Every structure is written in structure tokens, then in C-alpha cells.
Amino acid sequence: MDTAANNQLGGLLVAIPLLPLAAALIGYLLAWGQGRLALRLNAWLGGLALLASGGLAGWLLSAVQQSQADSIAWRVPWLALPDAALLTDAAGNRTGLPVPLAFNAGVPALLFALTTAVIAVVVLVFAVRERRDDPRRATFFATLTLFAGSMLLFLAADTLLVIYIAWELMGLTSYLLIAHPGTDRARRAARQAFWTTRATDFGLLFAVFTLMTVFRWTTLSGIDLTALLQSIASQGGNPREVYPWLSAVALLVLAAVLGKAAQFPLSFWLSDAMVAPAPVSALLHAATMVAAGPYLLTRLHGFFVVADLPLLAATLLGGLTLLTGAIMALAARDPKRVLAYSTVSHLGLVVMSVGVLAEEAGYYHLLAHAWFKAALFLGVGYLVAVWLTQHGGAEADHEPPELDRLAGFARRQPLVLWGVLVPAGLSLAGLFPLAGALGKEQIFQALLTRYGATPQAGIPAIGEQFPVAAAAWAVGACMLVIALPLTAAYITRLVGILGWGRPAPQPPEAAVAAVAAPRGWGVPLVLTTLLALMGSVGWAAAYFNWYNTPAGFAPESAAWKWSAAGHTSQLVSAVALAAVLIGAGLTWYLRVARPQAGDRVFREGGLAALAAFFRHGMYLRELFHLVIGRCGELLAVLAGRADVGLLDWLVLRLGGLGRLIATAARWVDDYIVDGLRWLACEFWWFLKRLHARTMQTGQIQHYMFIVLLGTALLCLVILRPLSRILADILGSI
Amino acid sequence: MEHLATSSIGKLEVFLTWLSNPTTQLLWLPLLGCIFIMATPKAQQRLIKTWAVIFSGLSLLAAVLMVSGLPKAIQDAGIQIASDYVWHPFAKHLPFRQGEAFSYVQNYSWMKVELGEYWSFNVNYFVGVDGLSLPLIVMSAAVIFLAVIWALPRTERVRDFFALTLLMEVGLLGVFVALDYVLFYLFWELMLIPMYFLIAGWGRDPEKAGRAAIKFFIYTMFGSVFMLIAFIAMQVMSNVYSFSIIGLTEFELTGGQNLPMLFRQLMFIGLLLGFAVKVPMFPFHTWLPDAHTEAPTEMSVILAAVMLKTGSYAYLRILYPSFPDVAYQLGPIIAFCGVAAIVYGAAITLVQKDIKRLVAYSSISHMGFIVLGISAMNPDATVGAIFHMVAHGVIIATLFFMCGVIERRYGTRDLYEVSGLLAGAPSYVLPLGIAAFAGMGLPGLAGFWGEFLVLKGTFYNSPNWMSVHVGAIDASRYLQIVAAIAVIGILTAAVYMINLLQRVLPGPVKANLAVWRGFRLTDGLALVPLALAVIVLGLYPAPIINACEYYAHALWATALRF
């Protein structure tokens, strides 16, 4: 566990998340106390902090690559959690399970941190212009910084509990960001997002439990499957006995990713979250919360390699998401929703890559996706913002314009069209040799060839080991082949209609006001262009460098890696390219060049109902609302009724029982006890009426006679029956 | 550990020793304050309030001094601590590791009772603190002090209010330090009576408040009768000539094992009834929402944050150490009650319209976690339950204070009428947000660790449960299912808390009352420490976990024998 000793660079690693978190805190304080200052300062604070974090990440990245160490680490003691195993130290004292506060980052984490920081800086610059008229922008910038900061914490942290904290912090900040517009729709989307992700987060929590309790692994870097299995084997045990635990961890993490990365069937929350401002979407999709899940999967891929079920689940769920996401993106009308479903689809591919043991390619795809998707979101966000200004509806109706109303709008914005939409779109479509294609082809190849691979000596061929998963890989390959042209189709549709579509006839009242092109967009747009270029060409260049020098990407646990090194075969590339071209060409013809022909198919023809079905997100939202929301509400109402109507009623009736007894006692007291007294009184009066006074003779013998008479009477009345009863009892004995 | 006053020491010296013990100061300074307040003329409200702040503050100071004075106290008591115990800087100073667990012990003979030749016993003034009670004592003293500060702007019947509050503080803190059943029972009832008057006399609607207070009082008394019978039965059937909690616990674990099982079960159930009403454990909870709805803000705070904890504290101090074997037998039922409270309480919280009632039902749900953690009988879950007692105290105090703010701001607590706190009272948004998010158990805030440890301990419970059967499955598996179901409660917490926030915070201000005078300093003085505590406990839970860990392990080691 302590192989990566604290080194001097560790402090800098801690600074990567700490800087933006501190900037966000200061931003909140400023926004609370000094509103005006905060409006000016918060974006700068956050931007500079994130820039510094990005710089640190880049510097540490080069330092790691130059040094022999796998990673940079930093740790201090934090907690000693109670543990049922009664861990003791050398002196025999109970210690509990020590949980350090640890940070650890190797190349994958640092590379991703660099990506997150750079994209966050661009997003902030964009947000400064986009939110110029927003009165609550001070807190918005602070929250945006916090969002990026929590992702950096997630990347840099090593302690599993801290990773979980960062994971939840992202959920919380995304909630705040989605709710930022303040409309009912935004709030509804925000709480839907929060609840959906929170529900699945328990998967991660239980995975952390299991890792901490069953294996006593408290840090990510401490997880060492090889050592665990070897130690079990060396103690004469069967390593296969822990396989169920390992696959349980894999499935739990997969469940958490299902919600957080909006995988099928929970994809609805992400598309509804599109009410958030464009910068939020860009950050959310590209490099933070949504991407965090698949990233974690690539880090924990070792847990998937032990059984069929996790591999099968990851492959099929990922594949299903890939496919349905692409179809829904094709059917969606709102340009931001197209991009949202596109994210879902791409992340499904990354999840699938873990299922097919090509996590390295998945990781690469995640990185490339971050850059081009951020660029696309910002580009589309810019178009929407300009369109809204020109149509006098800036923030007036928070309904974003549909794709048809934006048709041809980008042609008047050549920088956005040619600098952002086209390169990023081509990369997204998977056009060889742009960055978006390379990872995809690696995964494709893995799906096709993983079956027979014999990766290392001593380990059986995967096909023999995982027969069911191998079948799933074949299904996955089919899904990918279908998804490739679909992906190309939806992005061609989006970029094609934006750039070259024929503008719909405007209703006369919404005539375009002759508004001059808004100013101040220069810097954000240029930076966005850089993102797009990085996402298409830049990462492609890195890719070839990457796979030529395997040392550049340090694997966490080499024994569990089966990634095929080297380039994809030319056949795979050709098939993929052909699929992409077919999809793109067909779409171009049907939606851009001859939209009437397309309308006949999709709006009027037999596909109309199907298109509507997918446009409504396959009614998944409605399904979940019905099943969980409505049923939960019903149960809650029932419980509320039961508490007052049944439990409290019972308690009150129990009190009522006491009251009943008390009433009975009162009756006894009033009529029996008091009645006796009354009888005595009456008797006395009776005697008085008999002129009992005449009996008071003052002569002792009279009195004695009365006593004698009374005693005799008593004997007659009481003792005789008593003695009879006594005699009965004695006789019975 | 018995420090009986012998005749060789002068009485004054005994008195001074008694006086210098922080337990004494903690416990009896509020009573002194109560006397001072009663001796002050009614009209001198400032003086009365000063007394209240000073004496509840001194009591809090004594609690803090208890923590800081621990190393010396342990040394005096002769408890060995390994200096290289753990790497943790704080842990070295925490005592509850080895040897006898109680510090600041006082054991004076109070009275000898001889009732014929068959029943005679000593009643001792026997008090002390350990890792279970110390965190609760500090939390309770702090919350009561903050409630007193919050109450400072009051003007109606001030003298009675503060006198009763301080009297109640004696009872509340007394339960946590008492180590003698007679003393425990006295304190247990002592806290009840002032609370009755405070709810009935200072409630929002006098008639309804009176009814709620009666319900609360009778229900709790009903439980404590069974508890008293069980106390007496435990002592009568034992060979211990006092009502010492420690002594009787030891007896129950040794000689008491020879008693008939049915008898032991009855004693367990009697104690359980007494404590369960106080917690309140499902299904004995129906007094709580009414009492909270009608009680004044400060009393809701004390009721939820402190008084409920006396019940769960008694589970851990008396019930589980004395009857671990019975606890295993009845464990599935108690765990069911815990998880039922979690899920059922959370479900009811969803449909509440009154904000205060909403918070009250959420409190039932959270107390369910404490019951579940205790019933799992495993060190993780026990520590989690103790941590959650403290954390829930801090969180629920903040939430009830915020209910008071909302009521003052809007003149109503109807969830569907209140809106615009963000614009109407921005200073109060942050405490509400922190407490609400902590209430849903977000990590990094205080509410997380308790639920985390309880779930962890319940899910990965001890092997002892394997021998207990629930229907077709063993109790170990049963507890795993229970833990999985409990997750629904946490999730539902996210739903109702977000609903609360989204209704209360945004939107236009609908001010129904014109008496709102903006931010009150006393509110800030009460809310800021609480909100800070929520964050600090969330980021650094180590002190409390370390403090109660020894207790939890010792309890578990005892339970393992059965």
C-alpha cells in the first residue's frame, strides 16, 4: 500500500482540488457579503484557480512521466473507523481500521485533471459573456468553480471515502447549477437529476463498504487484486472464493455509474437537465459529473475480470445505452438534447469498453469526448444565445429554440461553423483518423477479437474463461456496428441543419429585428475553437504517440490488463469508416439536401410514430415517474393516514380504555361505596324515627343486652353462612 | 473505583472534593441557576436572562472542561494508556481504551433502605462519565445553552420559562451521568415535568399545546412505569445490595443467567417499553409530532436534540449491556422497529404540510437509524448509532431553530404558503441549507457518518446472528436485507428535504406578518455554532468515533460471549 511514498510533489497534488474549492468558498463569501465585488471578481477567482490547477496538473504529469514513480501521493492520518475484526496494533491495543486522508494521482488521473481544468477555464470564460445580464451570476460562477473543483477532488483523491464525498459533492453542485435558471422547469429537472443520481449513488456507497469491510482496502491505490489472490493462494485457499465479492463490487459500481452517467434506462434526467445554461451543460457532460462514472469504471476494471456477470452487464448495458442514446439523439428536436443524448451514447461506449476489457481505449475515448463535446456544447450554446438576443427573447421564455428554427443560422457565423461545429462534429461522428474515431475502433476491435485472446501465460484464454460474456461481446459488436452510422447521422443532422439547413419561414410577428451581432464573444469563441481542435486533431496526434510508447500510460495493475496494444487492424478501420460515411451521407441527403424527402419518412411516413417515441426519450421518464413517483406518493399518503388513523387512534383508544375504567370506578364509588354510606345514614334515620333515644336509658344492663342481641344477629347473618362455606371446603378436601 | 467518603476525612473536605468534580459542576450549576432565577423578582427580566445564560454556560463549560481534563482524570484513576496507542494525535488523550471505562466518578452513600429482613439496599449518589456519555453530554449542554440564547428575546413569563429550562437541564444531564438506577429514575422523571409545563404553557395554541403536553407526559410516564418495575425486579432478584447500574449489569451477565428466561425477557421488555417511548421507537412514536407541533421552538430543539437521546442512551447504558442474550433473541424485532421507523417515518414526512411536523417526522426516521444501529450489536453500528445521536442532535436543533425563524418570518408554517426565504431572510438560508443537506446524509456533513457506520455495521454484522433465525433465513441475512431497505429512508430524506428547500427558498416573499424585524443577533449566536458543528463533524468525525469506540468494542466483546 505504501509503495508510493509521500514525496515532495504530493503537496502540489493536494493543491489541484484545493485551489478551486477555496476559490469557490471565497466566491460564496463575497457573493454573500459584497455583492458588487463578487460580480466582478468571482469569475476571475475561479478561472485563475482552475488555471493554476490545470498548470499544476500538467506539470505533475510531466514530472510523473519523467520519473520512475507510478504516481504522486500524499497522505495524512484521518480516521480510525471501528471494525468488527478487532484490529490490534503491535502493543495489542485496538486500533480500528485506519483510514488515511490520501491523495494519489498517476497519469490517467492527472491527464483527466488537466482536461477538466482546461475545459472548466474555457467554460468560465464563456460563462462570463453568456451570463452577462444575470443578476445572480456571482454565485453561479462560484458554484461552477465548486463543480470543477469537486471533480478535481474526485480525480486526485485516493481515499475511497473522499472519492465518495467528491462524488456526492458533484451531485449537489450539479443540482444547484441545473436549478440556477430558477424556473419551475429548471427546478423540476434539478431535483429529478439529484434524486436519480442519489438513488444509484448507494451502489458506490455499498461498494465502498465492501472494499473497506471485506478486503480492508481504504484507498484506491491500496486495491491490489493480484496480491490478494496470490496471498489467498499462498495460504492454501481457493482464490475463486472471493470472486463473488469482487463481482459484487463491480456490479455495485456499475449501478452507481448507471445513474450518474445517465445510462439506459436512467438517461432521462440528463436530457431534462438541458434547461441549465450552456456552460453548465458543457462542464457537466464533458469533464465532470457524468464522465466521472465511466472514469471510475476504467480505474476499477480489475473487478470486472473475475466473472461473466459483470462483463456481461457492462457490455450489454453499455451497448444498449450506446444504441438507444444514438437513436434518441437522432429523434430529438432541441439541439442541446441532441448533444445530451449523444453524451449518453458515448459514455455507454466507454462502459462497454470496460465490459470488453478495453478500458484503456475507453479511457482514451472519454478524454477525446470531453474535448469535442465541450466545444460542441459551447458552440451550440453560443448560437442559441445569439439567436435569443436577435429574437428579443433573451431569457424571456426559457424555452430553447428547436433545431428547425435555427436552420441555417450557423452559416452567418463562420468561426463557429468551421472552427467548432465541423471539426468537433466530424470527430464525434467517428471519422478516421480524428480523435473520436480511434478509441471507438479500438473498442470495436476488442469486441471482435477479445474472444480468442490468450493474454498472459498461466491465464486461460478469455473465451474459455467467460463463455457468456464472449457471447455478449458479439451482441455488443452488432450494437456498435448499428450505432456507428446512427452516431454519424445525428451529428450530421445537427451540424448540417445548423450550417446549411433552409431556414423555416418565420411567422410575421417574430420578424428578426435588425440587431447587430452581439459583441464580446471573441475570446470565448476562439478558446472554444481550440477545444474543438484538440478534440479532433490534437488528441488524434496524442493517440498515435500514446500507443507507440506504452510507457506513457501507466497501468494500475498490469496483471489484469488484456488491452491489445498497437493500432487497430485496417479492416476494422475500413468497416467503421464505411459505416460512418453511409450514415452521414444518408442523413445529409434526407435532412439537409432534400429535407422534404426526409419529412416524408420521419414526419408523415411510417417512421413518424417511432420517431415520436424516441423523441420523448422512450417515455422512460414517464415510466419512472409512474412506477416510483406515483407509487411512492401513494404509499406515503397511506402511511400518513395510517399514522394518524391507526397508530395514534390505537394509542388514544388505549387512553380511552383507561377513561372507561375510570368511569366504571367512579360509578362504583358513587353508587356502591357511597351507596353503603347512604344506606348507613338511612338506617340511622330509621332508627332515629323509631325514637331510638328511648333506648338510651343509662342503665348498663340494657346496653349489654343490646350488644348481646347484636352479636347474636351477627353470628346468624355472617358466621353461619361462613361456617357452612368452610365446612363445604373442608368436606371437599 | 469506589471512592466512598470515609469518616477520617472532614466533611468540608468531602464537600470540596465533591464540588471540584466537573460532574458536580455540570449537573448542579443549572439547579443553582434555577434557584437564583426564582429568587429574582419577576420584573427584572434582564437579570433573569443573565442568570440563565451564565448558569447554562457554566454547565457547558464544565462539560468542555471534562473533555480537556480527561488525561489527568485518567491518570488519577490509574487507568493505563499505551502511549504509542495509535497514530492519531487526539487519540492519545482519549481515555476509553483500557481498564475501567468511567472517569470523574463519584460514589457517595446517600441512604440505606431497610424494609424488613428480605429487602434492604443502599442508594448511592453514583455518577461518572465514559465514552458513551461524554459526547452526548457535551452536545446536550451545548444545545441547551444555545436554546437559552435563542430564548433571550422572550418577554412573556420569563422567570418561569428560564427556571423550568434550567431545572430540566439538571434532569437531562443527570440521566447521562447517573450510574445508579434510583438516581437515573429521578433524573428521568425530573426532565419530564418541566417539559410538560414548558410545552403546555408556552405553546402556540394554549388549548392544543395543553393536550399535546398531556399526551406526551402520560405516554412517557406509561413507559417509565414498566421501566421502574424492571429496575426494582432486577435489584430484588439479584445479590447486589444497591441499585448500581454497573453492579447490576455485572450481575445480569453472571448470576442473572440462572434466572428463568421468561423473567429475563419480561425485564428486557419492561425496560424496552420505558426507553422506546422516549426514543421514540416505532410504533410508540405518535406523541412526538403533536408535542413538536405545539411546543415552543426552544423546547422542540431540546426535545428532539437531547431528550430523545436519553432514550437511545438508556438502550446502550442499561438494556444491551445487561441482557445481550435476550437482545439477540428479540434483535430481529427491534431491527424491524428501527427500519420501520426509518422508512415509514420518511414516507410520512413526505406528505406533511406543516414544516415543523415535517421536521418532527424526519426526526422519527433518523432515530430509527439509531435504533437499527444499536440492534445490530456490532461495533461499527454501535459507534454509528452513538455518532448519529450527536450528529442528529446538532442537525435537528438547526432545523427546529429554522422552523422558528420561518414561523416568525411568515406567521405560518404551512409548506405551501411559505416561499421566498432566499429573498426575504437571506442570512438564514445557509444554516437551513446545511442542515437540510446534512439531514439527507450527504457525505462531508455530520449526518453522513452515523448512517454510513450503521449501514456498514448492519450489513456486515457479527457472526453471532447466524444462530438466530427469522423464519427461513438466519438473522445475519435478515439484517442485510434490513440494511438494504433502510437505504430507502435515506433516499426519501433527499426527496423531502429537497421539496422543503425548493418550496421555502425561491419565489416571492409572502409575508403575512408585519412583525419581522430582520436578522436577530441571538439567532446568529445560536445557529452559527450549530452549522459549523455540522460541517466540522462531517469533515472530521474522529474525536467522537474515538471517544465511543472503546465502549462499543467492550459491549460487543461482552455480547460475543452469548
Side-chain angles (χ1 to χ4, degrees):
Chain A
M1 191 191 279
D2 284 312
T3 47
N6 290 3
N7 56 35
Q8 294 156 340
L9 297 175
L12 296 178
L13 178 66
V14 179
I16 291 179
L18 221 52
L19 280 172
L21 291 179
L25 194 65
I26 296 170
Y28 280 127
L29 288 177
L30 280 178
W32 185 56
Q34 292 287 324
R36 284 172 168 250
L37 193 63
L39 289 181
R40 291 167 178 277
L41 214 59
N42 272 7
W44 278 101
L45 261 175
L48 287 176
L50 284 166
L51 204 61
S53 295
L56 279 175
W59 187 53
L60 290 179
L61 192 64
S62 67
V64 167
Q65 276 175 330
Q66 280 161 19
S67 73
Q68 296 297 316
D70 276 357
S71 59
I72 293 165
W74 183 88
R75 67 165 59 196
V76 287
W78 186 33
L79 303 171
L81 288 183
D83 195 278
L86 293 175
L87 300 179
T88 50
D89 63 8
N93 295 305
R94 297 192 188 91
T95 58
L97 180 67
V99 179
L101 185 64
F103 289 80
N104 188 317
V107 172
L110 287 170
L111 209 54
F112 211 102
L114 180 64
T115 302
T116 303
V118 172
I119 291 175
V121 169
V122 177
V123 162
L124 257 176
V125 172
F126 187 91
V128 170
R129 176 62 189 83
E130 204 245 356
R131 300 271 104 194
R132 204 163 63 173
D133 305 322
D134 186 349
R136 289 184 297 125
R137 61 184 182 279
T139 46
F140 179 76
F141 295 143
T143 314
L144 213 57
T145 316
L146 183 64
F147 194 34
S150 38
M151 179 66 185
L152 292 173
L153 181 66
F154 173 78
L155 292 168
D158 192 24
T159 314
L160 294 171
L161 277 170
V162 178
I163 288 175
Y164 180 70
I165 288 177
W167 179 270
E168 289 289 356
L169 197 58
M170 278 190 277
L172 176 61
T173 41
S174 72
Y175 165 76
L176 296 175
L177 288 171
I178 296 169
H180 178 79
T183 57
D184 277 348
R185 211 165 134 242
R187 255 181 257 136
R188 212 178 309 129
R191 57 174 187 254
Q192 179 182 273
F194 187 75
W195 293 340
T196 315
T197 53
R198 180 97 177 104
T200 50
D201 287 346
F202 289 104
L204 185 62
L205 186 66
F206 275 78
V208 171
F209 282 170
T210 311
L211 291 175
M212 285 174 55
T213 314
V214 179
F215 301 113
R216 310 226 138 55
W217 285 326
T218 55
T219 57
L220 197 59
S221 62
I223 293 174
D224 192 346
L225 293 171
T226 323
L228 171 79
L229 298 183
Q230 278 169 0
S231 79
I232 290 173
S234 69
Q235 287 162 12
N238 181 7
R240 284 183 181 276
E241 275 171 14
V242 295
Y243 281 12
W245 286 115
L246 299 181
S247 15
V249 171
L251 289 173
L252 286 168
V253 176
L254 188 66
V257 172
L258 216 62
K260 211 75 162 180
Q263 300 293 290
F264 184 85
L266 297 173
S267 39
F268 56 87
W269 74 261
L270 191 62
S271 71
D272 284 0
M274 285 303 102
V275 292
V280 176
S281 308
L283 201 55
L284 179 72
H285 286 248
T288 51
M289 184 170 116
V290 179
Y295 168 78
L296 192 65
L297 280 189
T298 62
R299 291 295 299 266
L300 294 175
H301 58 87
F303 288 89
F304 283 80
V305 193
V306 292
D308 270 323
L309 190 59
L311 291 174
L312 177 86
T315 310
L316 289 189
L317 278 173
L320 211 56
T321 312
L322 169 70
L323 205 57
T324 53
I327 298 172
M328 287 192 275
L330 195 56
R333 281 193 180 152
D334 171 6
K336 280 182 80 182
R337 263 176 211 261
V338 174
L339 292 178
Y341 283 125
S342 149
T343 305
V344 169
S345 168
H346 276 83
L347 296 182
L349 183 67
V350 179
V351 171
M352 194 157 89
S353 80
V354 177
V356 72
L357 312 175
E359 73 289 336
E360 198 173 309
Y363 174 78
Y364 172 82
H365 192 64
L366 196 60
L367 272 185
H369 168 260
W371 294 79
F372 64 67
K373 187 52 69 65
L376 278 172
F377 263 113
L378 294 181
V380 170
Y382 164 76
L383 290 178
V384 170
V386 172
W387 192 88
L388 283 174
T389 338
Q390 291 191 346
H391 289 71
E395 302 290 329
D397 57 343
H398 294 275
E399 291 293 323
E402 290 193 341
L403 192 51
D404 291 348
R405 301 185 68 185
L406 284 170
F409 192 66
R411 198 153 18 163
R412 280 173 275 163
Q413 319 277 351
L415 180 62
V416 177
L417 183 59
W418 292 107
V420 179
L421 295 182
V422 169
L426 287 177
S427 181
L428 186 146
L431 191 77
F432 189 84
L434 294 180
L438 300 169
K440 219 181 269 185
E441 286 171 8
Q442 282 261 326
I443 297 166
F444 190 26
Q445 172 156 325
L447 283 166
L448 293 174
T449 59
R450 184 64 79 219
Y451 177 78
T454 23
Q456 281 177 14
I459 299 175
I462 295 170
E464 293 163 28
Q465 208 170 355
F466 306 117
V468 184
W473 293 334
V475 178
C478 297
M479 285 169 161
L480 185 55
V481 166
I482 302 170
L484 276 173
L486 286 175
T487 307
Y490 70 70
I491 196 65
T492 312
R493 169 170 170 263
L494 178 71
V495 177
I497 290 181
L498 282 178
W500 294 274
R502 252 162 263 168
Q506 299 283 345
E509 67 269 20
V512 181
V515 177
R519 295 182 173 279
W521 282 104
V523 180
L525 281 187
V526 169
L527 287 176
T528 309
T529 316
L530 289 180
L531 288 188
L533 291 179
M534 269 306 287
S536 50
V537 185
W539 280 106
Y543 171 87
F544 291 107
N545 189 25
W546 181 325
Y547 278 98
N548 287 335
T549 55
F553 188 82
E556 270 79 48
S557 49
W560 293 92
K561 276 180 58 63
W562 275 305
S563 273
H567 300 299
T568 45
S569 78
Q570 288 164 358
L571 183 67
V572 167
S573 294
V575 169
L577 189 61
V580 167
L581 288 177
I582 290 170
L586 210 60
T587 313
W588 182 269
Y589 175 75
L590 282 178
R591 302 307 299 156
V592 184
R594 295 275 181 280
Q596 292 84 1
D599 280 354
R600 273 199 297 281
V601 178
F602 294 115
R603 298 249 160 113
E604 294 138 27
L607 286 176
L610 205 61
F613 175 70
F614 282 108
R615 190 165 56 245
H616 287 101
M618 302 171 74
Y619 294 99
L620 289 171
R621 177 194 311 102
E622 285 74 11
L623 184 71
F624 275 90
H625 274 232
L626 188 71
V627 172
I628 294 178
R630 288 279 157 269
C631 291
E633 212 173 307
L634 191 70
L635 288 178
V637 170
L638 279 179
R641 290 272 166 80
D643 205 50
V644 177
L646 190 67
L647 275 178
D648 203 32
W649 182 83
L650 272 177
V651 169
L652 291 179
R653 288 293 83 76
L654 214 64
L657 193 68
R659 214 182 162 121
L660 203 69
I661 293 168
T663 314
R666 188 183 130 196
W667 189 87
V668 167
D669 203 51
D670 275 1
Y671 293 98
I672 313 273
V673 179
D674 213 35
L676 282 176
R677 182 196 56 82
W678 178 83
L679 266 179
C681 284
E682 287 298 305
F683 184 64
W684 176 246
W685 283 110
F686 172 74
L687 286 182
K688 215 174 168 189
R689 232 176 290 142
L690 283 180
H691 298 281
R693 204 184 168 119
T694 54
M695 288 197 281
Q696 307 277 331
T697 57
Q699 293 186 355
I700 195 83
Q701 58 267 44
H702 284 170
Y703 292 154
M704 290 305 288
F705 176 69
I706 291 171
V707 168
L708 197 70
L709 214 63
T711 314
L713 207 68
L714 207 68
C715 288
L716 274 175
V717 172
I718 298 174
L719 289 186
R720 273 231 3 233
L722 206 68
S723 63
R724 203 178 303 147
I725 294 168
L726 216 68
D728 281 359
I729 294 171
L730 287 175
S732 71
I733 289 169
Chain B
M1 67 182 279
E2 305 249 323
H3 299 296
L4 284 170
T6 53
S7 56
S8 64
I9 311 170
K11 281 189 175 169
L12 183 69
E13 209 169 327
V14 173
F15 180 68
L16 286 179
T17 320
W18 179 77
L19 208 58
S20 65
N21 191 312
T23 322
T24 310
Q25 297 152 12
L26 174 87
L27 206 51
W28 299 113
L29 275 172
L31 187 68
L32 196 63
C34 178
I35 294 166
F36 271 45
I37 289 172
M38 290 311 286
T40 313
K42 235 179 222 176
Q44 297 194 14
Q45 293 201 351
R46 286 185 77 90
L47 188 59
I48 289 169
K49 288 169 183 172
T50 316
W51 287 137
V53 171
I54 287 178
F55 282 98
S56 59
L58 282 176
S59 185
L60 172 62
L61 189 68
V64 173
L65 287 179
M66 263 185 178
V67 179
S68 63
L70 267 180
K72 189 170 177 306
I74 296 150
Q75 215 171 14
D76 293 349
I79 298 171
Q80 299 291 316
I81 308 174
S83 58
D84 58 342
Y85 164 58
V86 271
W87 38 264
H88 201 277
F90 265 169
K92 275 183 198 161
H93 302 298
L94 285 165
F96 314 112
R97 299 289 180 181
Q98 298 190 334
E100 284 295 334
F102 290 92
S103 304
Y104 304 116
V105 175
Q106 292 177 335
N107 196 350
Y108 298 107
S109 177
W110 180 11
M111 47 189 169
K112 286 189 187 358
V113 181
E114 307 217 1
L115 302 166
E117 54 185 302
Y118 294 113
W119 197 22
S120 64
F121 52 86
N122 294 326
V123 177
N124 294 333
Y125 176 80
F126 187 13
V127 293
V129 300
D130 72 342
L132 166 63
S133 54
L134 191 55
L136 291 169
I137 287 169
V138 176
M139 187 273 287
S140 305
V143 166
I144 296 171
F145 175 66
L146 296 178
V148 165
I149 286 190
W150 177 278
L152 288 181
R154 279 191 178 276
T155 50
E156 78 284 13
R157 284 170 294 148
V158 168
R159 187 173 72 172
D160 303 346
F161 184 89
F162 286 108
L164 284 170
T165 308
L166 288 188
L167 189 62
M168 185 167 59
E169 182 170 7
V170 179
L172 288 167
L173 295 175
V175 166
F176 291 131
V177 296
L179 292 178
D180 185 280
Y181 280 116
V182 175
L183 213 54
F184 182 91
Y185 186 73
L186 283 179
F187 287 129
W188 184 269
E189 300 299 351
L190 178 60
M191 67 182 162
L192 205 57
I193 295 157
M195 186 53 114
Y196 166 75
F197 286 112
L198 284 162
I199 293 177
W202 281 264
R204 190 168 56 154
D205 174 349
E207 196 190 327
K208 278 191 191 165
R211 223 177 296 143
I214 288 258
K215 192 174 174 185
F216 155 72
F217 188 79
I218 292 180
Y219 210 147
T220 323
M221 281 298 277
F222 166 80
S224 50
V225 168
F226 293 100
M227 182 183 88
L228 180 65
I229 295 170
F231 284 172
I232 295 170
M234 278 164 78
Q235 199 272 336
V236 169
M237 303 304 286
S238 75
N239 56 8
V240 181
Y241 287 95
S242 75
F243 271 97
S244 155
I245 290 181
I246 299 171
L248 282 170
T249 304
E250 272 167 22
F251 171 78
E252 291 299 339
L253 294 175
T254 51
Q257 293 293 312
N258 300 327
L259 294 174
M261 195 48 175
L262 180 67
F263 184 73
R264 291 167 57 74
Q265 282 171 338
L266 281 177
M267 283 197 287
F268 185 91
I269 291 170
L271 293 173
L272 184 72
L273 268 178
F275 307 148
V277 173
K278 201 75 143 207
V279 166
M281 186 174 89
F282 176 90
F284 304 105
H285 62 265
T286 48
W287 61 268
L288 184 97
D290 289 345
H292 272 308
T293 317
E294 299 306 329
T297 301
E298 303 86 343
M299 290 311 121
S300 286
V301 167
I302 294 180
L303 183 65
V306 186
M307 200 178 275
L308 306 189
K309 307 303 177 297
T310 57
S312 45
Y313 165 80
Y315 274 61
L316 286 172
R317 170 64 72 229
I318 296 169
L319 195 59
Y320 275 74
S322 300
F323 303 102
D325 47 342
V326 186
Y328 275 121
Q329 287 173 6
L330 300 181
I333 298 172
I334 298 173
F336 170 78
C337 290
V339 78
I342 294 169
V343 177
Y344 175 82
I348 301 173
T349 314
L350 282 178
V351 292
Q352 294 307 313
K353 292 190 179 71
D354 184 334
I355 294 178
K356 213 168 174 189
R357 228 179 152 77
L358 188 153
V359 176
Y361 270 112
S362 86
S363 178
I364 293 174
S365 178
H366 281 105
M367 291 307 286
F369 264 102
I370 294 171
V371 171
L372 179 63
I374 293 171
S375 73
M377 295 179 79
N378 153 305
D380 307 36
T382 308
V383 169
I386 300 168
F387 189 92
H388 205 53
M389 283 188 218
V390 178
H392 175 253
V394 178
I395 294 166
I396 210 75
T398 319
L399 283 173
F400 272 122
F401 277 142
M402 285 311 301
C403 288
V405 169
I406 288 169
E407 193 174 355
R408 208 168 69 228
R409 178 75 181 86
Y410 299 99
T412 175
R413 294 188 312 232
D414 192 322
L415 191 58
Y416 296 90
E417 288 187 19
V418 170
S419 78
L421 197 72
L422 210 52
S427 315
Y428 291 99
V429 169
L430 204 58
L432 177 62
I434 290 172
F437 283 116
M440 14 173 146
L442 277 194
L445 295 171
F448 169 68
W449 295 101
E451 290 172 0
F452 169 75
L453 287 171
V454 166
L455 282 182
K456 179 169 174 269
T458 313
F459 199 81
Y460 293 103
N461 49 54
S462 68
N464 275 29
W465 288 109
M466 301 253 200
S467 55
V468 183
H469 289 277
V470 186
I473 53 172
D474 63 55
S476 181
R477 181 55 49 84
Y478 171 82
L479 282 176
Q480 291 187 337
I481 296 168
V482 163
I485 294 173
V487 167
I488 299 173
I490 308 182
L491 189 58
T492 317
V495 177
Y496 60 68
M497 284 298 181
I498 288 281
N499 269 339
L500 173 69
L501 289 181
Q502 288 204 338
R503 287 208 180 276
V504 170
L505 294 185
V509 187
K510 285 191 238 165
N512 296 343
L513 271 192
V515 295
W516 174 251
R517 294 196 189 83
F519 180 75
R520 270 190 343 199
L521 180 66
T522 46
D523 296 0
L525 288 178
L527 283 171
V528 168
L530 286 173
L532 276 181
V534 172
I535 296 174
V536 170
L537 284 179
L539 293 177
Y540 193 64
I544 292 175
I545 290 178
N546 283 343
C548 55
E549 204 196 331
Y550 173 79
Y551 166 82
H553 273 120
L555 174 66
W556 191 62
T558 313
L560 270 185
R561 288 192 270 135
F562 293 96

